[in-house]
Amino acid sequence: MLYINGEWRKARSGKEAEVRNPATGERIGRVAWCGKQETEEAIQSADTAFQKWKRVPAGKRSAYLLKAASIMKEKAEELAETITTEMGKPISEARREIQTATGYLEWFAEEAKRVYGDTVPASQNDKQLMVLKEPVGVTAAITPWNFPMSMVTRKIAPAIAAGCTVVLKPAPVTPLSAIRVFECLHEAGLPKGVANLVIGPAEEIGPVLTKSPVVRKLTFTGSTAVGKKLIRDSADTVKKVSMELGGHAPFIVFADADLERAVQGAIDAKFVNNGQTCICVNRIYVEEKVADEFGRMLAAKASALKIGNGLNEDTELGPLIHHFAFEKVQAHVRDAIEKNGVILCGGKPYKAEGLEGFFYEPTVIHHANEEMKIATEETFGPVVPIFSFQDEQEVIEKANRTRYGLAAYCYTNDLGRGLRMMNELEYGIVGINDAAPVTVQGPFGGYKESGIGREGGKSGILEYLEEKYVSIRMM
Ligand code: NAP
């Protein structure tokens, strides 16, 4: 169903699309599949609602978000199952995603009350200078499938908190998760039109959102290629844009590091969500003298990961989301082998009875080189190459030699080196001896072609605010 102006609706054409479980291929639902007209109606509804919502006191806006978070928590188990059946991640990870998704609602409910302005010292006694913060306006939000609930709340919570209204287009492979979040907002009594949901083809909905002069803000999470297109398409109406795009994270291990911890860190930061996250490790750099040992230890742990249907409690790796993802993983592995990479584990699809989806074995490739596709392209799957290096300067240059700049990781027991790496890595997120740096109170976002703006943290809400400078002459 679509959610427009506070009502659950079908598409005007009556069209529907199927949703399938990527682990089993089973059909798990049907959703309304809309187009241009419903998107225009959703924008109209958001625009009408904005005129009232921007005047609702921050404390009240906050209360709606807190209520929605508490409803989501009550339904946590059922929501986690929706995530797992729709996109395949292990149920334990889906439960963590619900915590993050509700965490964003709660964090921005608090931030709503802290949108302070400024007074500015004037250069004349008869003037009073102030800076006010105001909501940007109607916001279009476009989200990917890999975190189908937390990516939604990471956008709509700060928008609603700031006093904006929203039209969300989720990824078409994970619409049920978005519907579940909207059910919680509806149950929380959010006034009609404040949040609207459209589900349908990107090529129809996208241009309506980007070309509309009513939409003042576009927030997008997805690939860098699509992000660039959306920036271009938004240029004619000069929208404020935030872009959370692709990544190519280096994971650097110095010989002085605790290798056990580094290996576990690499497992966590590579194989979470089956390698389908923007901050997943894409390149492991290990100091040459410990590279073989690290490779053996990593392959031993990776090959022990349990593959299966995410609904089984012991599953650690689910399926890839679709055929294209599977093809890309296979192409990267084939290419690495052709270019003299050595497969330490995995390297082939995983097959088992009852699993019809696109499963691939966790794969570690040793002796990687910069000619390989995997060295520069996002794999988005359970495959990781190991490169070796001799010294700090060399690895800093190699780690930074990419058009991406989202997340980077470094393992070392030398404090000075850790601090130097913190300063030198050209990335928006840096984990030093920490493979899980992301948290709702930290700003999330990338340098270079990994994006524009930040989500979460105290800066997250600023993306949805305009500054109005006021000068008052008192005499
Ligand atoms: P994608 O292909 O860029 O799609 C993301 C969303 O954009 C989907 O809803 C997609 O719908 C929509 N879309 C595509 N073309 C569009 C257009 N012309 N107009 C409007 N909407 C359009 O990315 P994905 O494969 O879903 O996600 C994986 C990518 O997201 C990776 O590159 C990953 O690194 C990145 N990502 C980044 C972050 C971050 O925070 N930086 C977080 C998660 C993922 P359709 O499916 O219908 O095309």
Side-chain angles (χ1 to χ4, degrees):
M1 297 285 260
L2 315 170
Y3 187 70
I4 299 173
N5 204 26
E7 282 171 16
W8 293 103
R9 282 183 33 186
K10 294 185 168 178
R12 289 200 178 274
S13 65
K15 267 195 200 164
E16 290 188 336
E18 287 185 349
V19 187
R20 289 188 177 270
N21 180 337
T24 60
E26 278 167 350
R27 194 173 88 185
I28 52 168
R30 291 181 75 82
V31 291
W33 192 245
C34 77
K36 191 168 181 278
Q37 194 181 345
E38 294 86 346
T39 308
E40 279 164 356
E41 287 166 11
I43 294 172
Q44 177 59 52
S45 141
D47 190 31
T48 306
F50 177 62
Q51 305 313 323
K52 284 191 183 162
W53 185 245
K54 66 182 178 184
R55 296 191 172 86
V56 171
K60 280 199 174 166
R61 294 200 298 263
S62 168
Y64 287 115
L65 292 173
L66 289 177
K67 180 90 186 149
S70 121
I71 294 167
M72 275 186 86
K73 283 179 174 173
E74 280 164 27
K75 300 183 179 188
E77 194 54 27
E78 143 197 2
L79 296 182
E81 279 175 23
T82 301
I83 293 178
T84 294
T85 49
E86 192 172 44
M87 64 73 61
K89 70 173 60 169
I91 190 75
S92 54
E93 291 183 25
R95 290 183 187 123
R96 283 208 298 278
E97 182 172 344
I98 301 296
Q99 285 171 8
T100 313
T102 54
Y104 282 118
L105 291 170
E106 290 172 340
W107 174 263
F108 286 109
E110 296 302 327
E111 288 301 285
K113 296 181 265 179
R114 291 191 257 283
V115 176
Y116 302 118
D118 288 315
T119 57
V120 180
S123 38
Q124 298 163 222
N125 284 338
D126 66 343
K127 279 198 177 191
Q128 174 82 45
L129 311 183
M130 290 182 288
V131 180
L132 313 182
K133 298 259 174 57
E134 295 185 348
V136 179
V138 174
T139 296
I142 301 176
T143 49
W145 48 266
N146 61 345
F147 289 90
M149 287 198 196
S150 62
M151 292 294 122
V152 169
T153 60
R154 199 167 80 174
K155 293 189 182 310
I156 62 177
I160 290 172
C164 297
T165 54
V166 187
V167 178
L168 174 83
K169 185 204 105 54
V173 283
T174 53
L176 300 178
S177 295
I179 290 174
R180 297 286 109 88
V181 174
F182 272 69
E183 284 169 358
C184 296
L185 293 169
H186 182 73
E187 222 178 303
L190 192 71
K192 61 181 189 178
V194 172
N196 303 273
L197 173 67
V198 289
I199 300 165
E203 58 281 9
E204 265 197 56
I205 295 176
V208 181
L209 296 174
T210 50
K211 304 281 178 220
S212 165
V214 174
V215 174
R216 294 312 317 144
K217 159 91 192 177
L218 173 70
T219 170
F220 170 72
T221 296
S223 60
T224 294
V226 172
K228 287 180 182 177
K229 176 175 169 28
L230 294 174
I231 294 171
R232 281 194 293 270
D233 291 353
S234 300
D236 280 347
T237 48
V238 195
K239 293 189 203 321
K240 193 173 166 95
V241 293
S242 338
M243 295 280 146
E244 295 289 348
L245 308 178
H248 207 269
F251 186 99
I252 301 164
V253 183
F254 286 97
D256 62 40
D258 177 334
L259 276 202
E260 284 283 349
R261 277 185 63 194
V263 167
Q264 188 55 50
I267 291 281
D268 295 343
K270 174 68 236 183
F271 295 106
V272 65
N273 209 4
N274 206 8
Q276 302 173 110
T277 89
C278 50
I279 59 165
C280 264
V281 174
N282 285 274
R283 293 166 284 154
I284 297 184
Y285 293 102
V286 188
E287 198 169 338
E288 196 165 38
K289 52 190 157 193
V290 294
D292 289 346
E293 188 185 353
F294 181 92
R296 272 194 302 277
M297 290 165 72
L298 183 65
K301 267 199 189 275
S303 54
L305 291 170
K306 178 102 177 57
I307 306 173
N309 186 327
L311 286 179
N312 300 334
E313 288 290 338
D314 59 350
T315 293
E316 293 170 298
L317 283 189
L320 289 158
I321 187 73
H322 45 43
H323 171 70
F324 302 110
F326 187 69
E327 288 296 313
K328 189 171 191 189
V329 164
Q330 297 207 95
H332 277 193
V333 173
R334 261 196 316 270
D335 173 76
I337 293 171
E338 275 163 22
K339 292 173 181 158
N340 301 324
V342 175
I343 304 287
L344 294 184
C345 67
K348 56 183 189 304
Y350 175 84
K351 295 204 186 312
E353 219 180 296
L355 296 179
E356 300 300 322
F358 298 105
F359 289 86
Y360 200 86
E361 292 183 1
T363 301
V364 178
I365 301 171
H366 201 13
H367 302 298
N369 60 61
E370 293 186 9
E371 305 308 312
M372 295 175 179
K373 284 185 180 161
I374 204 167
T376 51
E377 292 176 25
E378 229 184 342
T379 308
F380 238 58
V383 181
V384 69
I386 300 179
F387 304 78
S388 58
F389 69 90
Q390 309 272 357
D391 63 55
E392 197 176 302
Q393 201 47 44
E394 176 196 347
V395 77
I396 289 170
E397 279 166 24
K398 286 186 169 164
N400 287 338
R401 202 182 299 153
T402 167
R403 63 193 179 105
Y404 296 110
L406 190 56
Y409 308 86
C410 171
Y411 276 70
T412 174
N413 272 341
D414 177 336
L415 176 62
R417 171 172 272 159
L419 292 171
R420 288 195 295 279
M421 296 304 286
M422 172 187 89
N423 288 326
E424 294 301 326
L425 288 167
E426 296 164 355
Y427 289 82
I429 301 162
V430 176
I432 305 285
N433 294 331
D434 185 4
V438 175
T439 168
V440 295
Q441 64 270 35
F444 187 106
Y447 285 17
K448 303 188 208 168
E449 294 184 26
S450 284
I452 302 173
R454 293 293 179 268
E455 291 191 325
K458 66 175 183 178
S459 33
I461 199 165
L462 300 179
E463 304 289 336
Y464 299 88
L465 293 165
E466 288 280 18
E467 279 192 338
K468 181 182 276 177
Y469 164 65
V470 184
S471 173
I472 303 171
R473 188 99 189 238
M474 292 179 284
M475 285 179 263

